[in-house]
Amino acid sequence: MTNKVPLAPVPLKYDVLNRRLLMLPVNRPNDSLQLNDRLVAGFDLEEPAGIAGPARQRTFRRFSEAPSPELRSDFVEVIHEGNYVLLKRYEKVLKKANYQGAYSSGERSDIVEDKTTYYLRRPDATVVPVKLTMKALQAAAPELAGNLKAASGASAAKSDKEWAAVLAVVDKK
């Protein structure tokens, strides 16, 4: 919470499309409540083990240093934290169906599109959007450019988990 008082552990769901936090009351397991998230500074989600991989804890916090003011109320996932911070912003966009004209080739149903944007916060507190490629990370973090190239696994890294492992070796706080 923003007042530095932690909330008791409760089951949460982060609704990215509507940008809200839902909590599951312990005494009513088939119901959910919308949490007034204006006072929430961040939260941790415990992802259970499954097909995607082992159980892990994911940390989300407010995007207070966002490059544009309208993004500052969003939550971002902290992928790596050191001198540089790698952040992942989830976004869902609803595209409405298009029925224009009798023989329209438009969309017949609404579509929800997933968009993921990565940001790198530099030690001087500037935030830049970045793609998870060697060249883009070297351009965004010139101080780490030589170390990134020499790091094991950096040339084969594709996912954010792999890049987090590379940054953990290269960028120590």
Side-chain angles (χ1 to χ4, degrees), residues 28-54:
R28 293 186 313 227
N30 295 332
D31 194 10
S32 61
L33 299 173
Q34 183 172 347
L35 183 64
N36 182 358
D37 63 354
R38 286 181 290 167
L39 298 176
V40 176
F43 57 93
D44 293 329
L45 287 180
E46 291 180 13
E47 187 176 309
I51 298 171

Side-chain angles (χ1 to χ4, degrees), residues 16-17 26 31 36 88 92 100 110 118 126 148 173:
V16 178
L17 180 63
V26 178
D31 194 10
N36 182 358
K88 183 177 185 179
K92 290 187 183 264
Q100 303 298 323
D110 295 345
Y118 294 94
T126 58
L148 276 172
K173 203 168 192 178

Side-chain angles (χ1 to χ4, degrees), residues 19 62-64 66-75 89 91 119:
R19 293 183 179 157
R62 290 279 182 198
F63 197 15
S64 57
S68 59
E70 64 270 4
L71 300 178
R72 292 188 180 143
S73 63
D74 288 356
F75 289 102
R89 181 175 173 265
E91 182 180 11
Y119 292 91

